Amino acid sequence: MKISVFIIAYNEAKIIGQCLEKLHWANEIVVVDSGSSDDTVMICEKFGAKVIYNEFENFGKQKQFALHQTQNDWVLSLDADEVLSDELINEIQSLDFSKGYSGYLIPRTHVFLSKIFKFGSENKKPILRLFDKARGGFTEDKVHEVIKINGNIEHLNHEMLHYTVFDISTAIQKQVKYALLSGELLAEKGKKGSLFKAVIKFPFEFFRVYFLQFNFLNGYQGFVWSMFAAFGSFLKYAKLYDLDQIKEV
């Protein structure tokens, strides 16, 4: 079965080469770029990807646009910071697509500040990425978009690595960006914010992620990740509360 891989990108020169070098087996690679100012486009073209510019509106719409640019029925959606393992590549290449599944969940291993996590809810988390595009597509959510699909879904056994960030500065920028967008998304879905919820989210989220999800076993990086998760949760609900206050003025 021919498979197209598609990726959305913006200034991903630090990591996208590692992603692309593991896609030599793909029948087509489509990268939708939203105006990178670094070497992202040059790197993608070096690996034989078809690069298409599209102005970024939100994550859901950008990924759906990228999906529409692919030529094959079966597609693999990747983020620029995700790298397939050799074992996963072999597993994908040996799949029997005649079994009637509409999609496949892929375990994703969390890598934060260059440490491969062995514990935590983000570690080995299965995510739907390989699917028949005739049977599904992306939600148009501005962030945390998901693939909705009709039909049965199977699990693959081997992992891909998710290299979230390599330094604290980038982690802060990404966490703030996603948290604010998440707060806006909650508001668009009719959720109500409160000062109490915004204040209480930080300590409860830190306790949940650091202790209950065993991130304390991931060392220093596990502690920092838990702090960022807690801060992001606070910021999301602070944004929601702020939007509620604006409505009342």
Side-chain angles (χ1 to χ4, degrees), residues 7 16-24 29 31 43-44 47 49:
I7 302 165
I16 199 167
Q18 295 180 50
C19 172
L20 293 170
E21 70 181 0
K22 292 292 187 177
L23 300 179
H24 53 84
I29 304 171
V31 176
I43 293 170
C44 293
F47 282 95

Side-chain angles (χ1 to χ4, degrees), residues 15 18 78-88 105-129 156-166 215 218 225:
I15 187 63
Q18 295 180 50
L78 288 180
D79 291 340
D81 56 4
E82 293 172 339
V83 180
L84 307 185
S85 66
D86 291 334
E87 293 81 6
L88 175 58
L105 293 162
I106 298 175
R108 187 171 67 169
T109 295
H110 189 53
V111 185
F112 181 71
L113 299 180
S114 301
K115 181 181 178 67
I116 299 176
F117 278 28
K118 297 186 180 300
F119 305 93
S121 65
E122 296 294 324
N123 189 55
K124 305 291 186 185
K125 185 177 181 179
I127 185 168
L128 179 61
R129 288 301 182 81
L156 296 184
N157 296 314
H158 298 290
E159 67 181 0
M160 62 180 175
L161 297 176
H162 183 207
Y163 291 88
T164 52
V165 293
F166 295 97
N215 271 290
N218 288 319
W225 170 254

Side-chain angles (χ1 to χ4, degrees), residues 68-116:
H68 286 321
Q69 310 312 306
T70 58
Q71 300 298 314
N72 297 308
D73 292 334
W74 275 89
V75 294
L76 175 63
S77 171
L78 288 180
D79 291 340
D81 56 4
E82 293 172 339
V83 180
L84 307 185
S85 66
D86 291 334
E87 293 81 6
L88 175 58
I89 293 170
N90 291 335
E91 187 176 11
I92 292 173
Q93 290 183 299
S94 64
L95 283 175
D96 181 0
F97 288 95
S98 66
K99 289 185 176 181
Y101 293 112
S102 298
Y104 293 87
L105 293 162
I106 298 175
R108 187 171 67 169
T109 295
H110 189 53
V111 185
F112 181 71
L113 299 180
S114 301
K115 181 181 178 67
I116 299 176

Side-chain angles (χ1 to χ4, degrees), residues 201-218:
K201 272 294 179 179
F202 185 93
F204 272 84
E205 188 69 6
F206 177 80
F207 181 82
R208 185 181 73 86
V209 176
Y210 190 62
F211 292 105
L212 300 184
Q213 295 183 3
F214 300 102
N215 271 290
F216 63 90
L217 296 174
N218 288 319

